[in-house]
Amino acid sequence: MTQLASHNINFDDRKKLTLSFDIAKMQEEIKALALGDFVYYNVLPLRSPAHLVDPSLPLPPPADDYADGSWTEWLDSPELRNSPYLSSVVDTFRKHSKVTLVRLLRLAPRATVKEHTDPTLGLQVPKSVIRLTIPILTNDGVEFFLNENLVPMKPGECWYLRLSDPHRIINGGNTERINMTIDIVPNEWVRSLIQGK
């Protein structure tokens, strides 16, 4: 458990949130996106820095710190705008906090992501964002380890994971794994959600 000094609250490295989403609708919209073939690992941005979604917009100025997403404006991609249920999932969070990066993360069958850390993706990190994970497609061979302990995520569930800690992923199955990740700026609503209040 990590002490969050500014709020005197302890947070575990993982928390299954009380929110859950309609997995059939999510899978239907993923299928409608007609995602192409890929090797090993693939990322589809659903919400990105504005200039990447609309190249006519100017580049944002250089920033001293990119961790909290305030260095740019953020826009929904055409894929997200054309996916009403996925948009409603994002809206669940953007009604209460600033949503920055949203992506679909695809991991091929029999592929692994080696252990690593994302130093700015933890609730205890000042001036940063946190990443929420919603599994969409999975199989019995998918294993997500955080601090060497398995995180038992199921499709449609929403999890906070302290990704500033060591984590790794194994897809031991014969089908791809797809997670939706939503980066949000923490505030009191987010902290209450993670605490289960």
Side-chain angles (χ1 to χ4, degrees), residues 97 123 130 184-195:
S97 181
L123 195 55
I130 62 163
I184 59 177
V185 177
N187 58 17
E188 291 307 316
W189 178 83
V190 171
R191 292 183 179 91
S192 294
L193 185 67
I194 291 172
Q195 293 173 78

Side-chain angles (χ1 to χ4, degrees), residues 61-72 120 125-129:
D64 293 330
D65 189 344
Y66 291 87
D68 71 351
S70 62
W71 58 279
T72 187
T120 62
V125 180
K127 198 176 181 238
S128 188
V129 297

Side-chain angles (χ1 to χ4, degrees), residues 158-172:
C158 183
W159 285 77
Y160 162 72
L161 306 171
R162 192 172 64 216
L163 299 176
S164 54
D165 290 0
H167 55 283
R168 60 188 174 92
I169 309 144
I170 300 167
N171 183 358

Side-chain angles (χ1 to χ4, degrees), residues 17-58:
L17 305 185
T18 55
L19 300 168
S20 62
F21 300 97
D22 188 323
I23 194 59
K25 289 182 179 178
M26 296 183 86
Q27 290 176 352
E28 181 181 347
E29 291 192 348
I30 295 296
K31 186 176 181 181
L33 290 174
L35 303 175
D37 294 334
F38 71 104
V39 176
Y40 173 56
Y41 191 79
N42 180 259
V43 176
L44 177 66
L46 297 179
R47 185 168 170 80
S48 293
H51 68 282
L52 297 179
V53 178
D54 181 354
S56 71
L57 295 175

Side-chain angles (χ1 to χ4, degrees), residues 47-103:
R47 185 168 170 80
S48 293
H51 68 282
L52 297 179
V53 178
D54 181 354
S56 71
L57 295 175
L59 293 171
D64 293 330
D65 189 344
Y66 291 87
D68 71 351
S70 62
W71 58 279
T72 187
E73 296 298 319
W74 298 82
L75 288 179
D76 294 351
S77 70
E79 291 84 358
L80 185 59
R81 292 195 300 269
N82 292 326
S83 303
Y85 188 73
L86 295 179
S87 291
S88 76
V89 172
V90 176
D91 287 342
T92 300
F93 303 99
R94 75 170 128 207
K95 284 189 292 190
H96 303 282
S97 181
K98 180 178 180 180
V99 173
T100 59
L101 184 66
V102 179
R103 301 182 296 172

Side-chain angles (χ1 to χ4, degrees), residues 4 43-44 105 116 148 166 179 188:
L4 186 66
V43 176
L44 177 66
L105 304 182
H116 65 286
E148 283 303 321
N179 285 349
E188 291 307 316

